[in-house]
Amino acid sequence: LLKARLTLQIYRLIKARGLTQAGAGDILGIKQPNVSALMRNRSGSFPVERLIDFLTALGQDVKITVRPTRKEHGEVSVVG
């Protein structure tokens, strides 16, 4: 779920900036076919750490907060 949410943020940033897949690849340091896979929400080959690297390369600060929950199980959220 975390990977999907991070990938969605990357997708939104690329679209909002009007970047081509090749242009996004230059910024992210990956080849265009890998950007294409990201844009189709196929982030399986990228670990969470790499997705975070992509977000920082796109000029985003990434903050991970861990805190106690009042529920039985905690949850993960990505705020953008």
Side-chain angles (χ1 to χ4, degrees), residues 13-71:
L13 289 165
I14 290 170
K15 284 294 189 185
R17 294 182 185 186
L19 295 170
T20 64
Q21 290 182 2
D26 289 341
I27 293 170
L28 302 178
I30 59 176
K31 296 180 184 212
Q32 179 276 326
N34 291 326
V35 176
S36 177
L38 273 176
M39 300 299 280
R40 289 179 284 125
N41 199 21
R42 301 195 196 290
S43 60
S45 62
F46 297 109
V48 169
E49 295 83 2
R50 190 79 191 272
L51 297 173
I52 291 171
D53 288 344
F54 293 160
L55 287 166
T56 59
L58 289 165
Q60 304 299 297
D61 289 331
V62 178
K63 178 180 178 181
I64 298 173
T65 304
V66 179
R67 62 178 179 248
T69 185
R70 294 184 178 151
K71 304 174 194 171

